[in-house]
Amino acid sequence: MSEAADLDVIASPEPVIAVRDAEDHLNPDFIAAVETAIRANDQFGLRALAADLHEADTGDLLETINPDERATFIQLLGEDFDYTALTEMDEATRLQVLEDLPTEAIAEGLGELDSDDAVYILEDMDEEDQAAILDELPYADRAQLQKALDYPEESAGRRMQSEFIAVAQFWTVGQTIDYMREARDLPDSFYEIYVVDPAFKLLGSVHLDKILRTKRREKVTSIMEETRQAVLATEDQEEVARRFERYNLVSSAVVDENERLVGVLTVDDIVDVIQEEAEEDLRALAGVGDEEISDTVMTIARSRFAWLVVNLGTAILASVVIALFEETIEAMVALAVLMPIVASMGGNAGTQTMTVAVRGIATQELGTRNLMRVLNREILVSALNGVALAILIGLTAWLWFDSPGLGVVIGGSIVINMLFAGLSGLLIPIALDRLNVDPAIASSVFVTTVTDVVGFFAFLGIAALWFGLPL
Amino acid sequence: MSEAADLDVIASPEPVIAVRDAEDHLNPDFIAAVETAIRANDQFGLRALAADLHEADTGDLLETINPDERATFIQLLGEDFDYTALTEMDEATRLQVLEDLPTEAIAEGLGELDSDDAVYILEDMDEEDQAAILDELPYADRAQLQKALDYPEESAGRRMQSEFIAVAQFWTVGQTIDYMREARDLPDSFYEIYVVDPAFKLLGSVHLDKILRTKRREKVTSIMEETRQAVLATEDQEEVARRFERYNLVSSAVVDENERLVGVLTVDDIVDVIQEEAEEDLRALAGVGDEEISDTVMTIARSRFAWLVVNLGTAILASVVIALFEETIEAMVALAVLMPIVASMGGNAGTQTMTVAVRGIATQELGTRNLMRVLNREILVSALNGVALAILIGLTAWLWFDSPGLGVVIGGSIVINMLFAGLSGLLIPIALDRLNVDPAIASSVFVTTVTDVVGFFAFLGIAALWFGLPL
């Protein structure tokens, strides 16, 4: 037994400690081993543990270890550290690591990367540091990165890689394969090659599997897919993401304003954009910006405060409505007890409709063509749920305060507020979208204002009329 | 001029009407032309318009046209209709279309598809229809689809395609290329091939670009990447999606419990899962299920009603707290005017923290290791914003009701409620996650309950003590 175990250890010099635990988190034992190696300055031990990690695991590891030890980790790994790992970290951690590393080391590390990864790391740095790093790079790399950085933020030009394979339209499949076998400075991985005319204008693309399935003597143009609609380098990444998603693209050529091929976008960059986009709506609706788990207290407090102040406006408006009925409440204090129910039910129903509307607009499933149908449905849903809730709440109020009248009043105001909730939940996002305001950011303030104001006004107003109370 | 224009029309027999407008929606003129062709039974005209569409555009088009005309559209297109388009539609529309089509037509259409697309269409149908369609298929196809359908819902086995290329470990690059040139029944498109041992156990994968860059005489094993961790066919699609996202995968082998290769997952299937997952959290937090724009009134009303009833419980609980202070409010009705502000500010702050926490848990950025740090930060953020809002609201209340005491009371209760909001917004999702309850679904009810109850209790209680009011 023990002999076999010994042999096993000799045969596998890789780390015996698993990188991730059963729940897919980094394994605490693994982290501890890495930290011990860093503190002991044990270059050999650290390389045995971390040199062969996937860049995503290295990124997670860097986020997890003590901030002071991150730069040491990178310098101990030396040539075994793949700077792609920096693209897998959140922004705040990445910037902190970059602060702690010497400019020359960063420049050397970035020089090894595909241009899209290098740009991703450079773009969040301040201009001075950016310039210092670019200065260290060879001219060709520098020019390439500078060109990408000149494109607007969040554009296709920023996300694309400038390494790709383009062949002339008169080439055969055989020539293309031979060229790829000899060429240097190819992208790390690629899924299609591009066919261009002598002016480098994009004609079409050829998937690699097509090349492999085709005889050598065939012309590339015979298996080429003509480009229907190339991505423009200045196009916004969200629009590009929507196209990738809709047409199930794995990669796409990027062209400049003269239809010349300038880069390639691959789906792994776009997956992040797609996820961010869905998450952005969620965060916007809840009033949190793009804060990250690693942000500082002040950054977070400030970004959330703005939203709270805007909502304070809504709350005060609701209070003003209640103040109109001070005497009514004084005459019948049960109204004060019940009134938050009406507002709160309206708020919840409004949020439901609004969430569906905001996502429908984002994914383009909700548009002019089906608006009337969706509106009718929304009115019916609100009416149905409004009546059902009205009965439930009306009975509760009747039994609680032994007053059937109070049951009728709260039931009626629930139905009214549910209808306003459904209508405003649908129409406010659509109106904001027409006005080119992001519905995810602004809708919920308006919708809550409607459901609060209508809720309090309807309930207290109907109560005053029904019971003949002072106004 | 006019001559050139004429020539242009002759040279391009494709539809002159653009499929999409500037905003990337389907062009209304295009839709109208399609509808006219359907109503005129104009097979030739319809094919000219729609035969060459991308399946995603065909799917959108089918969702847009009159439900009664969808089956006619498909039958007029005949062989030019690509059933992949059905995978690009929402579920309700897809099921309606399938109802209207003859079983034989569906079976024939599905026979042409890659297995993952066929399974995607079949899995939502009721068992009887499913069996009827499977019966029409040739034995090999039927067995393949049945096997995929036997995997659990939302598992990798359901999403994978069973078409892939596997080669033996002793093959050379040259043999592999020759094999691909000759083989039939290859997948529609693929990005890597797999190396297996004689028992079909997965050894590793080779990206197509590696094959194209390598000399013919090399062994495939020399350029193969060893599989670190293959996807299990029974694994949940969300876990798989997280791995695709983390490791930037474009495709991945799927193996059975004996490590034998059974299928391939590609990123285009996974992109949908990633998006759905982020969107699911958004919908869960707002209390809307996976309703679709095309669902019926009753389906939607029912799914939303459950959430409203649960929230009604929260609202009634808040009312019970207010009822404790009926006499206090009767003695000072300004309290009724101001009390919703305290609850509403707490609710908004709690939702902010909760949203960040729920996403942090989903993306595994928030875990045991950084919980204490995040908790400390959350307390500081809540305290900072609580004090800032307290000053703002306190001054407003003082000026409005000309009572500095009322300002102090509301300010103090705001600080208290903001702290409870921050704590519950963070700790409730984490506790639910530990209890294996989806934090996105259940958090907001609990958080709102805390902020409502604490808000009303703190404000009315402090007021009663401060002003010596009756309880």
Side-chain angles (χ1 to χ4, degrees):
Chain A
M1 269 299 272
S2 97
E3 216 179 79
D6 281 347
L7 274 173
D8 220 42
V9 170
I10 295 168
S12 66
E14 309 98 85
V16 197
I17 313 170
V19 178
R20 293 194 175 261
D21 62 18
E23 296 214 312
D24 228 22
H25 293 286
L26 284 180
N27 179 0
D29 294 341
F30 178 74
I31 299 169
V34 167
E35 285 175 338
T36 310
I38 296 173
R39 278 162 212 162
N41 249 313
D42 174 8
Q43 191 165 37
F44 183 77
L46 189 66
R47 286 188 181 184
L49 283 164
D52 287 334
L53 288 182
H54 188 282
E55 66 249 25
D57 292 327
T58 314
D60 278 3
L61 184 60
L62 273 171
E63 283 181 356
T64 308
I65 62 176
N66 193 319
D68 301 336
E69 292 173 339
R70 288 171 184 154
T72 318
F73 172 92
I74 293 173
Q75 291 180 309
L76 282 175
L77 273 187
E79 295 212 334
D80 285 335
F81 180 74
D82 177 356
Y83 272 72
T84 319
L86 293 182
T87 65
E88 305 282 341
M89 297 161 60
D90 65 47
E91 189 184 328
T93 318
R94 181 168 58 245
L95 290 176
Q96 182 261 318
V97 170
L98 290 168
E99 280 289 302
D100 290 356
L101 286 173
T103 309
E104 304 77 45
I106 301 175
E108 203 175 310
L110 297 192
E112 302 289 316
L113 302 186
D114 277 346
S115 64
D116 55 338
D117 293 324
V119 168
Y120 190 88
I121 294 169
L122 282 169
E123 64 181 357
D124 295 324
M125 304 180 72
D126 62 42
E127 286 195 23
E128 223 170 290
D129 293 343
Q130 225 181 60
I133 291 169
L134 287 172
D135 271 349
E136 297 278 334
L137 286 170
Y139 174 74
D141 287 357
R142 185 166 71 229
Q144 197 186 43
L145 295 179
Q146 190 58 62
K147 202 176 147 201
L149 287 167
D150 287 344
Y151 285 111
E153 268 184 53
E154 313 216 317
S155 68
R158 282 281 181 99
R159 291 280 81 78
M160 74 188 184
Q161 61 186 47
S162 318
E163 297 86 1
F164 52 79
I165 297 175
V167 300
Q169 64 208 97
F170 48 81
W171 279 29
T172 64
V173 168
Q175 280 176 297
T176 306
I177 295 181
D178 294 341
Y179 168 73
M180 280 190 271
R181 291 217 178 104
E182 304 303 332
R184 288 155 166 278
D185 202 28
L186 291 182
D188 271 356
S189 63
F190 54 98
Y191 315 103
E192 52 184 21
I193 62 163
Y194 302 95
V195 183
V196 292
D197 76 3
F200 229 74
K201 215 179 114 177
L202 178 68
L203 299 174
S205 61
V206 187
H207 280 277
L208 295 190
D209 58 306
K210 282 268 169 54
I211 297 179
L212 282 166
R213 288 191 231 183
T214 308
K215 306 261 184 238
R216 286 181 63 90
R217 62 175 173 278
E218 297 262 351
K219 279 262 175 76
V220 285
T221 42
S222 73
I223 51 169
M224 167 183 98
E225 266 176 70
E226 272 179 60
T227 313
R228 288 173 191 233
Q229 208 186 0
V231 170
L232 258 174
T234 49
E235 213 169 322
D236 187 82
Q237 61 179 12
E238 288 197 9
E239 272 171 55
V240 179
R242 208 170 295 140
R243 216 180 306 156
F244 263 73
E245 205 186 334
R246 182 187 295 144
Y247 296 124
N248 299 325
L249 303 179
V250 163
S251 64
S252 167
V254 180
V255 297
D256 66 12
E257 65 279 13
N258 303 313
E259 293 176 51
R260 276 182 317 210
L261 182 63
V262 291
V264 176
L265 272 171
T266 51
V267 69
D268 52 314
D269 304 314
I270 294 301
V271 161
D272 299 337
V273 177
I274 291 173
Q275 206 203 0
E276 275 166 30
E277 203 193 338
E279 193 164 315
E280 250 173 40
D281 280 355
L282 167 62
R283 288 166 173 272
L285 283 170
V288 279
D290 53 357
E291 68 177 58
E292 287 172 357
I293 290 281
S294 57
D295 278 344
T296 63
V297 170
M298 277 313 292
T299 315
I300 292 183
R302 249 199 313 259
S303 92
R304 293 193 194 168
F305 187 66
W307 177 255
L308 293 172
V309 169
V310 171
N311 276 280
L312 177 57
T314 298
I316 290 179
L317 203 62
S319 292
V320 170
V321 173
I322 300 172
L324 296 176
F325 296 94
E326 269 188 77
E327 289 180 44
T328 320
I329 293 171
E330 223 160 4
M332 192 186 216
V333 77
L335 298 179
V337 173
L338 292 175
M339 68 184 185
I341 296 180
V342 183
S344 147
M345 285 292 100
N348 282 314
T351 304
Q352 288 181 324
T353 308
M354 177 183 74
T355 304
V356 175
V358 165
R359 284 308 295 167
I361 292 168
T363 59
Q364 301 191 339
E365 283 174 77
L366 177 60
T368 321
R369 219 181 142 86
N370 58 0
L371 177 58
M372 282 317 294
R373 196 165 54 74
V374 175
L375 185 64
N376 283 331
R377 196 194 57 187
E378 207 49 61
I379 293 173
L380 281 172
V381 168
S382 302
L384 272 173
N385 280 344
V387 170
L389 282 175
I391 294 171
L392 219 60
I393 299 171
L395 285 174
T396 310
W398 174 1
L399 295 174
W400 188 352
F401 293 95
D402 195 19
S403 157
L406 204 52
V408 172
V409 168
I410 197 168
S413 53
I414 284 279
V415 172
I416 292 172
N417 206 20
M418 290 286 287
L419 281 172
F420 272 89
L423 287 175
S424 62
L426 179 63
L427 296 178
I428 288 175
I430 287 179
L432 290 169
D433 185 48
R434 293 270 162 89
L435 298 169
N436 283 322
V437 179
D438 181 355
I441 291 178
S443 294
S444 83
V445 172
F446 289 107
V447 172
T448 324
T449 304
V450 169
T451 55
D452 273 5
V453 167
V454 171
F456 290 126
F457 197 88
F459 177 59
L460 297 172
I462 296 177
L465 293 176
W466 183 276
F467 296 108
L469 298 172
L471 276 171
Chain B
M1 270 297 270
S2 98
E3 217 177 78
D6 279 349
L7 272 176
D8 220 38
V9 170
I10 295 166
S12 66
E14 311 95 87
V16 197
I17 313 171
V19 177
R20 292 195 176 262
D21 62 18
E23 297 214 313
D24 228 19
H25 293 285
L26 284 179
N27 179 359
D29 294 342
F30 177 74
I31 299 170
V34 167
E35 284 175 337
T36 310
I38 295 173
R39 278 163 213 163
N41 250 312
D42 174 7
Q43 192 165 37
F44 183 79
L46 189 66
R47 287 187 178 184
L49 283 164
D52 288 333
L53 288 182
H54 188 283
E55 66 249 27
D57 293 328
T58 313
D60 278 3
L61 184 59
L62 273 171
E63 282 181 356
T64 309
I65 63 175
N66 192 319
D68 302 335
E69 291 173 339
R70 287 170 186 156
T72 318
F73 172 91
I74 293 172
Q75 292 181 307
L76 281 175
L77 273 186
E79 297 212 335
D80 285 335
F81 180 75
D82 177 356
Y83 272 73
T84 320
L86 293 182
T87 66
E88 304 283 342
M89 297 160 60
D90 64 47
E91 189 184 329
T93 318
R94 179 169 58 246
L95 289 176
Q96 182 261 319
V97 170
L98 289 169
E99 280 289 301
D100 290 356
L101 284 173
T103 309
E104 304 77 46
I106 301 174
E108 202 175 311
L110 296 192
E112 303 288 316
L113 303 185
D114 277 347
S115 65
D116 56 337
D117 293 325
V119 169
Y120 190 88
I121 294 170
L122 282 169
E123 64 180 358
D124 295 325
M125 303 180 73
D126 60 43
E127 287 193 22
E128 222 172 291
D129 294 343
Q130 227 180 57
I133 291 169
L134 287 172
D135 272 349
E136 297 278 334
L137 287 169
Y139 175 74
D141 287 357
R142 184 168 69 228
Q144 196 186 44
L145 295 178
Q146 191 58 62
K147 201 175 147 203
L149 287 168
D150 287 343
Y151 285 111
E153 270 185 52
E154 312 215 320
S155 68
R158 282 281 181 99
R159 291 281 81 77
M160 74 187 185
Q161 60 186 48
S162 318
E163 297 85 3
F164 52 80
I165 297 174
V167 301
Q169 64 208 97
F170 49 80
W171 280 30
T172 63
V173 167
Q175 280 175 297
T176 306
I177 295 182
D178 294 341
Y179 168 71
M180 280 190 272
R181 288 214 181 108
E182 302 306 331
R184 288 155 167 278
D185 201 26
L186 291 182
D188 272 357
S189 63
F190 55 99
Y191 315 103
E192 51 185 20
I193 63 162
Y194 302 96
V195 184
V196 291
D197 76 3
F200 230 74
K201 217 181 111 176
L202 178 68
L203 299 173
S205 61
V206 187
H207 281 276
L208 296 189
D209 58 310
K210 282 270 168 52
I211 296 179
L212 283 165
R213 289 190 230 183
T214 308
K215 306 265 184 232
R216 285 181 62 91
R217 63 176 172 276
E218 298 260 353
K219 279 262 174 74
V220 284
T221 43
S222 73
I223 52 168
M224 166 184 98
E225 268 175 68
E226 272 179 59
T227 312
R228 288 173 191 235
Q229 210 186 359
V231 170
L232 258 174
T234 49
E235 214 169 324
D236 187 83
Q237 60 178 11
E238 287 197 10
E239 273 172 52
V240 179
R242 208 170 295 141
R243 213 177 311 154
F244 263 74
E245 204 187 335
R246 181 187 296 143
Y247 296 124
N248 299 326
L249 303 179
V250 164
S251 63
S252 167
V254 181
V255 297
D256 66 12
E257 64 280 15
N258 302 314
E259 293 177 49
R260 277 183 316 212
L261 181 62
V262 291
V264 175
L265 273 170
T266 51
V267 69
D268 52 313
D269 304 313
I270 294 301
V271 161
D272 299 335
V273 177
I274 292 174
Q275 205 204 0
E276 275 166 29
E277 204 193 339
E279 192 164 315
E280 251 173 41
D281 280 355
L282 167 63
R283 287 167 174 271
L285 282 170
V288 279
D290 52 356
E291 67 177 60
E292 286 173 356
I293 288 283
S294 57
D295 277 345
T296 62
V297 170
M298 277 313 291
T299 315
I300 292 182
R302 251 199 312 259
S303 91
R304 292 192 194 170
F305 186 66
W307 179 254
L308 293 172
V309 169
V310 171
N311 276 280
L312 176 58
T314 299
I316 289 178
L317 204 63
S319 292
V320 169
V321 173
I322 300 172
L324 296 176
F325 297 94
E326 269 188 74
E327 289 181 42
T328 322
I329 292 172
E330 221 161 4
M332 191 184 215
V333 78
L335 298 179
V337 173
L338 292 175
M339 66 184 187
I341 296 181
V342 183
S344 146
M345 284 293 101
N348 282 314
T351 304
Q352 289 181 324
T353 308
M354 178 182 74
T355 303
V356 176
V358 165
R359 283 308 294 166
I361 293 169
T363 58
Q364 304 189 337
E365 282 176 76
L366 177 60
T368 322
R369 221 183 139 83
N370 58 0
L371 176 58
M372 283 317 297
R373 196 166 52 73
V374 174
L375 184 65
N376 283 331
R377 194 194 60 187
E378 207 49 60
I379 293 173
L380 281 171
V381 168
S382 302
L384 273 173
N385 281 345
V387 169
L389 281 176
I391 294 172
L392 219 61
I393 299 171
L395 285 175
T396 310
W398 175 1
L399 295 174
W400 187 354
F401 292 95
D402 195 18
S403 156
L406 205 52
V408 172
V409 168
I410 198 169
S413 53
I414 284 278
V415 172
I416 292 172
N417 206 19
M418 291 287 286
L419 281 171
F420 273 89
L423 287 176
S424 63
L426 179 63
L427 296 178
I428 286 174
I430 286 179
L432 289 169
D433 186 48
R434 293 270 163 90
L435 298 170
N436 284 319
V437 179
D438 182 355
I441 290 178
S443 293
S444 83
V445 172
F446 290 107
V447 173
T448 325
T449 304
V450 169
T451 55
D452 272 6
V453 167
V454 171
F456 290 126
F457 197 87
F459 178 59
L460 296 172
I462 297 176
L465 293 175
W466 183 276
F467 296 110
L469 298 173
L471 276 170

